[in-house]
Amino acid sequence: MRDFVPPQAELRRRVANRILDVYAGYGFELIETPALEDLDVLVGSGGGENEKLIFKVLKRGARLDEELERGGELADMGLRFDLTVPLARFVANHLNDLPMPFKAAHVAPVWRGERPARGRFREFVQCDIDVVGEPSVAAEVELCSATLDALAKIGLEGCTVKLNDRRLLRAVVDKYLGPLEDPTPVYIALDKLDKSSPEAVAEELSAYDPAGVPELLKWVAEGDLSVCPPEVATDLRATLEALGHTATFEPSLVRGIGYYTGQIFEIQRADVPYSLGGGGRYDGMTARFGAPALPMCGFSIGFERVCELVDLTAFQHGQHKVAITCASQEEMLRCLAAARPQRERDPSVVFSVVRRARNVRKQQEDLARLGYDEILDGKEFGKH
């Protein structure tokens, strides 16, 4: 969990706002949800390994004392580990107040009890858009298009969407390894193909049909759509055709979240060794909260990753910032009064009244680092 000092915090805000401006242009409506959810909302929601990383919150007061005495469950709430599960709960709770289909944008921190490492944090921001109530691939196409446009808007052009479908993966696994009660271990092994050799993955799958494993890996290498249900192939082709050169079919794409029910996707750029975002279709999650099983599909930008890649200097231009340095309280009060009408005349200009530091040179350097392009002497400010 990290602190962000100026100007980094301000630049992160500007990156988020530029992304949200693109999403607003597509008609996505901003929502907010609490950081805490009931633990039974989070556990068993299909979040895969992420559910094991939930920060649980102890019950409060007398309830905690009672549970301690009888050795019961001490936690009843948890910090959200993604924004998808809270969205499903949100839609179920407010179904009568929302238009259908509903297009949501949600930018907020999430928490996971990760082992801290480079690029892996316990608190990080997710930047999500979701379409609720649209069963066709029009939802997938719009989500991918909006995400590509948002990344281009912050200077990350040349990105490509990689597409697959969980229904296709299930059909292929059933075909070559036989119907499995739980194909998750196979998915986990296939997901390693971008980092491990086919031989290493085959070794991990050695407990399955020895004749089927090579055929499965061959299919992943070739990506023959003829083995999947016709409607799945039709949907994939429709999405690929609509997105044109910005999308490719990637048979080895799995994604670790268990709640996906249809197409899945990730954003990649050739010069970056990791994905910049991902998502997919997760129909029916609202049913867990007593609502109808609505079609749902979403895409999440890896906000922390894109903030490391963008040229942050590009977000510092375009705003005039004036610092007025003063020698005394009397001078500061006079300049504060003089700055008020100037802000009203031109709200786009920043006027900051500060006490003049003893080390004037360092103060000027600090102000320049914060984007102030003009520094005025409070003695003269507002007199003309």
Side-chain angles (χ1 to χ4, degrees):
M1 299 184 184
R2 300 160 293 162
D3 294 322
F4 295 100
V5 300
Q8 190 179 18
E10 172 63 15
L11 293 172
R12 286 169 60 87
R13 183 187 70 84
R14 293 187 185 185
V15 171
N17 285 349
R18 196 169 291 187
I19 292 172
L20 284 171
D21 285 345
V22 173
Y23 290 163
Y26 276 79
F28 288 93
E29 304 288 345
L30 193 64
I31 69 165
E32 293 184 6
T33 63
L36 289 173
E37 294 282 356
D38 288 336
L39 202 53
D40 58 4
V41 167
L42 299 174
V43 175
S45 58
E49 292 295 310
N50 294 329
E51 291 182 18
K52 300 177 183 178
L53 305 176
I54 295 172
F55 281 104
K56 296 180 180 180
V57 179
L58 294 178
K59 295 176 180 177
R60 277 75 61 202
R63 294 179 58 213
L64 179 58
D65 295 338
E66 293 170 5
E67 294 295 349
L68 281 169
E69 287 179 7
R70 67 184 186 205
E73 175 59 60
L74 302 182
D76 61 350
M77 304 192 80
L79 291 171
R80 61 191 176 206
F81 61 82
D82 71 4
L83 299 180
T84 304
V85 176
L87 172 69
R89 193 268 311 152
F90 172 92
V91 171
N93 285 2
H94 301 282
L95 196 56
N96 293 332
D97 303 318
L98 299 175
M100 282 295 153
F102 178 57
K103 295 158 66 172
H106 198 183
V107 178
V110 299
W111 295 266
R112 295 177 192 172
E114 299 271 13
R115 180 175 297 174
R118 179 176 174 81
R120 190 176 293 274
F121 311 108
R122 289 181 170 177
E123 179 185 61
F124 55 96
V125 170
Q126 286 192 336
C127 190
D128 286 18
I129 46 174
D130 295 81
V131 178
V132 181
E134 175 52 59
S136 78
V137 297
E140 280 86 341
V141 171
E142 182 170 40
L143 289 166
C144 292
S145 299
T147 302
L148 288 167
D149 285 353
L151 290 173
K153 189 71 173 179
I154 60 173
L156 298 180
E157 298 177 326
C159 295
T160 302
V161 178
K162 292 192 173 183
L163 279 169
N164 202 353
D165 196 303
R166 275 296 179 86
R167 296 169 296 173
L168 170 57
L169 284 168
R170 185 61 192 252
V172 170
V173 169
D174 286 352
K175 176 179 176 63
Y176 294 119
L177 302 185
L180 302 178
E181 184 175 343
D182 181 14
T184 303
V186 179
Y187 295 162
I188 292 173
L190 294 177
D191 199 36
K192 297 175 182 177
L193 281 169
D194 60 339
K195 298 181 180 68
S196 301
S197 67
E199 292 76 19
V201 173
E203 178 65 26
E204 191 166 337
L205 295 173
S206 59
Y208 297 94
D209 182 355
V213 169
E215 292 298 318
L216 174 62
L217 295 177
K218 180 182 177 184
W219 177 86
V220 171
E222 297 176 353
D224 181 7
L225 287 178
S226 66
V227 303
C228 71
E231 67 275 12
V232 176
T234 299
D235 283 352
L236 269 172
R237 291 190 179 103
T239 306
L240 289 165
E241 182 179 349
L243 294 173
H245 69 280
T246 62
T248 59
F249 173 48
E250 179 51 68
S252 65
L253 179 62
V254 175
R255 296 195 56 76
I257 303 297
Y259 49 62
Y260 290 126
T261 60
Q263 289 188 19
I264 51 177
F265 24 79
E266 287 188 352
I267 290 269
Q268 304 236 328
R269 204 168 80 157
D271 59 340
V272 180
Y274 45 76
S275 69
L276 301 181
R281 182 166 286 276
Y282 54 101
D283 291 342
M285 190 183 288
T286 46
R288 291 188 61 248
F289 307 102
L294 299 173
M296 303 182 77
C297 194
F299 211 139
S300 178
I301 285 178
F303 186 74
E304 309 300 340
R305 290 181 170 181
V306 301
C307 281
E308 292 178 358
L309 293 173
V310 296
D311 178 10
L312 294 181
T313 60
F315 292 83
Q316 293 177 311
H317 303 308
Q319 185 176 35
H320 184 35
K321 299 180 73 173
V322 180
I324 304 105
T325 62
C326 302
S328 66
Q329 172 182 293
E330 181 183 11
E331 194 170 287
M332 289 180 71
L333 292 174
R334 182 183 61 76
C335 289
L336 284 169
R340 187 177 297 113
Q342 299 218 35
R343 290 193 193 96
E344 292 173 353
R345 279 196 296 271
D346 191 350
S348 66
V349 179
V350 173
F351 291 93
S352 178
V353 177
V354 296
R355 184 178 291 273
R356 186 178 302 115
R358 289 184 179 179
N359 189 335
V360 174
R361 181 177 177 182
K362 183 179 184 305
Q363 184 178 37
Q364 291 176 341
E365 290 173 351
D366 289 341
L367 289 169
R369 179 170 52 84
L370 294 175
Y372 286 89
D373 49 5
E374 187 174 2
I375 301 174
L376 302 178
D377 189 334
K379 191 185 303 182
E380 303 300 324
F381 181 72
K383 288 188 175 181
H384 305 292

